[in-house]
Amino acid sequence: MARPSTPPILTRLCTAASTNAQAAALRELKHEIIGTEQKKVAWIKLGLVPHLLQVLSAESTSKRSNPAAHAYRDDGSVSKDDTEDARLQATIIVGSLAHGGPAFVAPLLSVPIISALSTSLDPSTVSSRLLLETLRTLTIIAESLALTSPGSGLHQGALSDVLFSNAHVDRLRQILSQTSSKTIVQQQISLTSRLIAKLCRDERHRTSLSNSGVLEALGSRMAGFVVAMGYVLPEADHIARTSGNGRIPRPAPQSAELYPILEAVSSIIHDSKYRALQLFYSRDLMAVFPPSAVNSVRSRGSGPADGPEQSSTVNPLDSLLPPIPTAHHKSVSSRSTSFPSISAARDSSRGPSTKSRSSTGSPWSYDPHSYTVETSQHPIEADRPADDECPVVAWLICLIRSEYGLIRLMAASVLAELVRTGLVSKRRETLLAYGVIPILVSMLGEPAPLLKASHRYSPTNAAHWLDYKWAKERAPAIMAMLVTDCVELQKAAVDGKAIKKLAEMLKSTYEPIPERKQASAWTPMSETGSHPGDNQASSARRLGDPGLRAQLMHNLRVRESTLQGLASLAPFIDEYRKKIIDSGVTSFLLQSLKSWEDSSSGPATNGHASGDDAGHLTAPKGNPASVIVAACDLARTLSRSVSILRTSLIDSGVASPLFLLLRSSDIEVQIAATAALCNLILEFSPMREAIMQAGAMKVLCEHTQSPNPRLRLNATWALKHLVFFASQEVKFACLEELGQGGLLQLICGDSEETSSTGDSGNNVDDPMDMSGDIDNHKGGGAGEPAESIPDESWEPPILEREDTNGDEDREMKLDEPTSNAKDNNGSPHNQSHKSGTPHQQPNNKPFSPTTINAQLMALRDTELNPAKQSQRDALAIQEQGLDFIRNLINGPKSDEIIDKLITYFNGPDQLFAVLSSKLRRPSPSPGPITLQKPQPQLMWGSSETLTATLFILVHIAASAPRHRALLTAQTQLLKQLLPLFQHPSKNVRAPLVWLVINITWVDDQTDEAAAKARAAELKRLGYQPELEALLHDPELDVRERARTGLYQLR
């Protein structure tokens, strides 16, 4: 059979004598292949891709002669430059080919097509039409890359690494910073924002986008919508003009889209307080939401009877939000306590109009120059949002309640990121519970809430259908971010039947996808080459892996999102866990734990990819890593319930797939599976023996030597649970598996210096609850505080590398009482070193540029400094290593375990030296300079580290008399403990008293003389006055134990 002749179009394209003829050939080729898959396949195999690359790489002739020639081409018309016209046609052809799916993207990426397209992203040198088509083509490539199957070698990183590189990221900023109100420019801005949202998944890329000014440009776009909707704070214009920091930005034009801007912002600020504050402090957002406009507002009563005017920081945007009554206001009239419906809030004259965007329209129903809060008519919470909350938060809540569709959803996404980073006041929880969560729950799996009330949802409308699918994928995950750490928000979601909706959504993702067969046209060319008989075809002439069908990928995304949503609803309340089990999701949870690695053939596909039919998949087989991680999180949440652990989970056999995932090739899956396994190997778990027999101990000990700190943390946490109330044989086996080097690595890390610094940055409540009130006596008589059974409501956290600022907040909560500003000893607690927004700094001008820059630099160093991050990771792991030893030496025959432990440390002196290093106080860090007289204070390290170390000493003292003698001989160590009697945390003071009780305990008559000697040594060191001081401790447990300790000491 003769080879087919070369198509005339390709001949003209290859032999074109001018760029005009080349552009004409490309235009004809464009009309031929658009919408025809068979012709796309044929042209790929004919070698079209290298020719397209050559055209896209050609430099514009007018650009060479006059670089500024295109600076004024904003009308969207076709360029008169023939070279640019050819590039335009080639760009459209590349987009059409990429629309075919991953199979067509593979030959495109086999050549540097992305770099060639990126040269057309400069708005100052290319026409608006070429720039728009380039952005569309890149967006299509990004969407097709999202459909690639594992192992294909294609991923979105190939695109994001180029676009977010230093060579191109500034061009994205230039596109977003355009000031033209023309529709084509607004389309460019929207496409750029969507591209950022789709591709920004890596911390490197987020940092690059924030440092290059892209985040600030997005903030300016947000400010334009604030102006257009009329949400500018009162007096903002006057403050902007008088401060010299600029002026109110121009309102966003009618053709501008808000939701892509919000989506891009959400992806960039993800898990970063530093980047979120960068957004808040962007020039235009500060102009429309000036902090001084919030701070200058005064709250006063409505009449003389209300007393004199009182200063109170109030956000004027709160007047647009419904008042939330407190419990003692429930008897007030229904007008003031009833919560307005969503429609009522939307139609209220107090709310902004969404029908038109005018900079002259204002939502304020009062004189902005004489704003007051009528406290007699609005019985809102007495403690309004904290001073450090940016008005952006209130604006986002207004958007969620007044807008529709994707704007509402993306506003909730940005709000969830701000909640996650601690930039939303805790006082907002009630408003979020009643005003935001019900709206998000209504969007779970429902298409109607995506549209305006005047529009009717139509599943045949392509735009409606795509928006519905996209929102269905995102809504559960956004709700999960909001409710994860708040019981009140979880209750609001459960009361709105979120569990039922999420369970139905999860089940729907396992419904078979009907196979859609397509008739393929006959071609003389083979499937693997450009012509029959070609043994080797270049990668640019071959179709790639067909990838996944769009519907299957949609199901996988919904599956991941719903699993995250279910896991976020039940971390604390056992009743919610039982509701999840009763919803019938257990079998689907097990299926979600199956990876594609477990299937010999991977995802079952047939044929090449094409649009919505990217491969013909009859049934899903396995899950990607992201779905498995979400399933592990849900399994971990459900395993917190003892009753569910002993019934539903053991009946379903959840332990087997989790154990297999410990050996997964994906590190994130290993981390999540290790965390989920922690609760399954507790002493009361019926699956403990089976998991240990399968070899879990060996795998976990191997994971403690992993270079990944998150995996080491979870593996150490799991081992801590494994040896809890375990047999002596299991404990010895665990020590042998770890080895001497592994054990020392757990509690010492790479450098002993790290143990003497401050908080680890991962201060979480210990799931073992080992510092509670314990009154279990050793051997029926000794006053040893035995380990309590682990609290079922806690599990090992997954150490998030980015969430460093949230760790600082937890650090302050460790030693602070929740009811007042004093510590447990009644002394004022100094909070000047707590990082936060400038409102917390003792500065008369908290929003001066100097203060803002200093705060941002401090946060940046906290989040991005690799040395500090490594130190936090090491200290978090060492805390769990200490708890591992604490559980190891607790229980019957502990003296033999302690003897073995001493040999691992080459003698008791080395063991006590390591423990002494964990008690060492850090050097005080310099705080902010103030004019106030400095107050003396004690600087403490991590309370968890101190508590774990002290209980190791307690257990050693509760063992045999010879171990008490070894401990008493450590004079320097015992002196080092004395300052800790004044520690503000009860969890540190209580074990100190237990240590005295155990050291002075008398086992039998033969131990009386030795006990008196030990008591005398403690009195000589000064322990008696410290115990006497604890007789007035605010904690009852500490006072009672102090009495016992004094009785034995005397």
mmCIF file of all heavy atoms in Angstrom, residues 319-321 340-354 362-363 365 401-402:
data_model
loop_
_atom_site.group_PDB
_atom_site.id
_atom_site.type_symbol
_atom_site.label_atom_id
_atom_site.label_comp_id
_atom_site.label_asym_id
_atom_site.label_seq_id
_atom_site.Cartn_x
_atom_site.Cartn_y
_atom_site.Cartn_z
ATOM 1 N N SER A 319 -22.212 46.496 60.849
ATOM 2 C CA SER A 319 -23.599 46.961 60.824
ATOM 3 C C SER A 319 -24.376 46.346 59.672
ATOM 4 O O SER A 319 -25.619 46.377 59.662
ATOM 5 C CB SER A 319 -23.635 48.488 60.704
ATOM 6 O OG SER A 319 -23.123 48.908 59.450
ATOM 7 N N LEU A 320 -23.684 45.797 58.671
ATOM 8 C CA LEU A 320 -24.336 45.131 57.552
ATOM 9 C C LEU A 320 -24.595 43.663 57.833
ATOM 10 O O LEU A 320 -25.250 42.989 57.033
ATOM 11 C CB LEU A 320 -23.466 45.250 56.298
ATOM 12 C CG LEU A 320 -23.046 46.666 55.902
ATOM 13 C CD1 LEU A 320 -22.180 46.626 54.663
ATOM 14 C CD2 LEU A 320 -24.258 47.543 55.677
ATOM 15 N N LEU A 321 -24.070 43.175 58.929
ATOM 16 C CA LEU A 321 -24.244 41.777 59.287
ATOM 17 C C LEU A 321 -25.340 41.657 60.333
ATOM 18 O O LEU A 321 -25.562 42.575 61.125
ATOM 19 C CB LEU A 321 -22.941 41.193 59.832
ATOM 20 C CG LEU A 321 -21.753 41.222 58.861
ATOM 21 C CD1 LEU A 321 -20.483 40.764 59.560
ATOM 22 C CD2 LEU A 321 -22.031 40.358 57.643
ATOM 23 N N PRO A 340 -32.055 37.285 60.769
ATOM 24 C CA PRO A 340 -32.679 37.520 59.475
ATOM 25 C C PRO A 340 -32.382 36.395 58.512
ATOM 26 O O PRO A 340 -31.314 35.791 58.555
ATOM 27 C CB PRO A 340 -32.022 38.834 59.008
ATOM 28 C CG PRO A 340 -31.417 39.426 60.224
ATOM 29 C CD PRO A 340 -31.073 38.294 61.128
ATOM 30 N N SER A 341 -33.330 36.096 57.664
ATOM 31 C CA SER A 341 -33.114 35.081 56.651
ATOM 32 C C SER A 341 -32.118 35.600 55.626
ATOM 33 O O SER A 341 -31.847 36.789 55.523
ATOM 34 C CB SER A 341 -34.432 34.732 55.950
ATOM 35 O OG SER A 341 -34.919 35.876 55.256
ATOM 36 N N ILE A 342 -31.599 34.673 54.847
ATOM 37 C CA ILE A 342 -30.615 35.065 53.847
ATOM 38 C C ILE A 342 -31.231 36.020 52.844
ATOM 39 O O ILE A 342 -30.640 37.019 52.451
ATOM 40 C CB ILE A 342 -30.053 33.806 53.153
ATOM 41 C CG1 ILE A 342 -29.303 32.941 54.175
ATOM 42 C CG2 ILE A 342 -29.136 34.171 51.998
ATOM 43 C CD1 ILE A 342 -28.866 31.625 53.633
ATOM 44 N N SER A 343 -32.446 35.727 52.411
ATOM 45 C CA SER A 343 -33.096 36.607 51.450
ATOM 46 C C SER A 343 -33.390 37.963 52.048
ATOM 47 O O SER A 343 -33.271 38.994 51.385
ATOM 48 C CB SER A 343 -34.397 35.952 50.952
ATOM 49 O OG SER A 343 -35.266 35.715 52.042
ATOM 50 N N ALA A 344 -33.754 37.963 53.320
ATOM 51 C CA ALA A 344 -34.023 39.240 53.961
ATOM 52 C C ALA A 344 -32.762 40.071 54.076
ATOM 53 O O ALA A 344 -32.767 41.283 53.861
ATOM 54 C CB ALA A 344 -34.635 39.020 55.344
ATOM 55 N N ALA A 345 -31.665 39.408 54.402
ATOM 56 C CA ALA A 345 -30.409 40.145 54.496
ATOM 57 C C ALA A 345 -29.988 40.680 53.141
ATOM 58 O O ALA A 345 -29.396 41.740 53.018
ATOM 59 C CB ALA A 345 -29.313 39.237 55.061
ATOM 60 N N ARG A 346 -30.327 39.936 52.082
ATOM 61 C CA ARG A 346 -29.952 40.368 50.748
ATOM 62 C C ARG A 346 -30.770 41.565 50.302
ATOM 63 O O ARG A 346 -30.294 42.491 49.667
ATOM 64 C CB ARG A 346 -30.125 39.204 49.760
ATOM 65 C CG ARG A 346 -29.716 39.545 48.347
ATOM 66 C CD ARG A 346 -29.890 38.338 47.438
ATOM 67 N NE ARG A 346 -31.276 37.954 47.302
ATOM 68 C CZ ARG A 346 -31.797 36.832 47.750
ATOM 69 N NH1 ARG A 346 -31.051 35.985 48.397
ATOM 70 N NH2 ARG A 346 -33.063 36.536 47.585
ATOM 71 N N ASP A 347 -32.070 41.569 50.645
ATOM 72 C CA ASP A 347 -32.959 42.627 50.187
ATOM 73 C C ASP A 347 -32.986 43.812 51.118
ATOM 74 O O ASP A 347 -33.636 44.810 50.838
ATOM 75 C CB ASP A 347 -34.387 42.077 50.040
ATOM 76 C CG ASP A 347 -34.446 40.956 49.003
ATOM 77 O OD1 ASP A 347 -33.586 40.969 48.092
ATOM 78 O OD2 ASP A 347 -35.332 40.093 49.118
ATOM 79 N N SER A 348 -32.306 43.700 52.260
ATOM 80 C CA SER A 348 -32.334 44.781 53.227
ATOM 81 C C SER A 348 -31.709 46.031 52.665
ATOM 82 O O SER A 348 -30.757 45.993 51.893
ATOM 83 C CB SER A 348 -31.598 44.350 54.510
ATOM 84 O OG SER A 348 -31.459 45.442 55.370
ATOM 85 N N SER A 349 -32.243 47.158 53.060
ATOM 86 C CA SER A 349 -31.680 48.427 52.604
ATOM 87 C C SER A 349 -30.299 48.662 53.155
ATOM 88 O O SER A 349 -29.546 49.469 52.644
ATOM 89 C CB SER A 349 -32.598 49.582 53.032
ATOM 90 O OG SER A 349 -32.705 49.619 54.445
ATOM 91 N N ARG A 350 -29.935 47.914 54.235
ATOM 92 C CA ARG A 350 -28.601 48.051 54.806
ATOM 93 C C ARG A 350 -27.561 47.336 53.968
ATOM 94 O O ARG A 350 -26.378 47.600 54.084
ATOM 95 C CB ARG A 350 -28.571 47.487 56.221
ATOM 96 C CG ARG A 350 -29.343 48.281 57.221
ATOM 97 C CD ARG A 350 -29.547 47.487 58.496
ATOM 98 N NE ARG A 350 -28.358 46.739 58.871
ATOM 99 C CZ ARG A 350 -28.342 45.877 59.861
ATOM 100 N NH1 ARG A 350 -29.425 45.642 60.568
ATOM 101 N NH2 ARG A 350 -27.241 45.238 60.161
ATOM 102 N N GLY A 351 -27.980 46.409 53.138
ATOM 103 C CA GLY A 351 -27.021 45.632 52.370
ATOM 104 C C GLY A 351 -26.701 46.288 51.058
ATOM 105 O O GLY A 351 -27.455 47.104 50.531
ATOM 106 N N PRO A 352 -25.562 45.936 50.472
ATOM 107 C CA PRO A 352 -25.161 46.525 49.206
ATOM 108 C C PRO A 352 -25.964 45.967 48.064
ATOM 109 O O PRO A 352 -26.411 44.820 48.094
ATOM 110 C CB PRO A 352 -23.687 46.133 49.092
ATOM 111 C CG PRO A 352 -23.595 44.883 49.868
ATOM 112 C CD PRO A 352 -24.587 44.989 50.977
ATOM 113 N N SER A 353 -26.150 46.741 47.057
ATOM 114 C CA SER A 353 -26.874 46.298 45.874
ATOM 115 C C SER A 353 -25.942 45.497 44.993
ATOM 116 O O SER A 353 -24.815 45.909 44.726
ATOM 117 C CB SER A 353 -27.406 47.507 45.099
ATOM 118 O OG SER A 353 -27.944 47.097 43.872
ATOM 119 N N THR A 354 -26.379 44.359 44.529
ATOM 120 C CA THR A 354 -25.567 43.522 43.657
ATOM 121 C C THR A 354 -25.992 43.637 42.210
ATOM 122 O O THR A 354 -25.456 42.966 41.354
ATOM 123 C CB THR A 354 -25.683 42.052 44.095
ATOM 124 O OG1 THR A 354 -27.057 41.669 44.033
ATOM 125 C CG2 THR A 354 -25.161 41.864 45.490
ATOM 126 N N SER A 362 -23.638 53.343 48.044
ATOM 127 C CA SER A 362 -23.074 52.984 49.337
ATOM 128 C C SER A 362 -24.049 52.150 50.111
ATOM 129 O O SER A 362 -25.252 52.412 50.107
ATOM 130 C CB SER A 362 -22.733 54.252 50.140
ATOM 131 O OG SER A 362 -22.304 53.902 51.430
ATOM 132 N N PRO A 363 -23.586 51.082 50.764
ATOM 133 C CA PRO A 363 -24.475 50.257 51.568
ATOM 134 C C PRO A 363 -24.799 50.874 52.909
ATOM 135 O O PRO A 363 -25.622 50.337 53.636
ATOM 136 C CB PRO A 363 -23.675 48.969 51.752
ATOM 137 C CG PRO A 363 -22.254 49.419 51.722
ATOM 138 C CD PRO A 363 -22.207 50.579 50.770
ATOM 139 N N SER A 365 -26.387 52.926 55.732
ATOM 140 C CA SER A 365 -27.679 53.568 55.953
ATOM 141 C C SER A 365 -27.585 54.660 57.000
ATOM 142 O O SER A 365 -28.578 55.097 57.527
ATOM 143 C CB SER A 365 -28.714 52.530 56.413
ATOM 144 O OG SER A 365 -28.279 51.896 57.588
ATOM 145 N N ARG A 401 -23.182 36.132 52.227
ATOM 146 C CA ARG A 401 -24.603 36.246 52.525
ATOM 147 C C ARG A 401 -25.389 36.986 51.447
ATOM 148 O O ARG A 401 -26.615 36.825 51.370
ATOM 149 C CB ARG A 401 -24.789 36.955 53.867
ATOM 150 C CG ARG A 401 -24.311 36.129 55.063
ATOM 151 C CD ARG A 401 -24.709 36.771 56.369
ATOM 152 N NE ARG A 401 -26.127 37.041 56.441
ATOM 153 C CZ ARG A 401 -27.078 36.140 56.696
ATOM 154 N NH1 ARG A 401 -26.742 34.884 56.893
ATOM 155 N NH2 ARG A 401 -28.339 36.504 56.750
ATOM 156 N N SER A 402 -24.737 37.796 50.628
ATOM 157 C CA SER A 402 -25.479 38.613 49.664
ATOM 158 C C SER A 402 -25.280 38.177 48.221
ATOM 159 O O SER A 402 -26.151 38.430 47.384
ATOM 160 C CB SER A 402 -25.062 40.083 49.796
ATOM 161 O OG SER A 402 -23.681 40.247 49.536
#
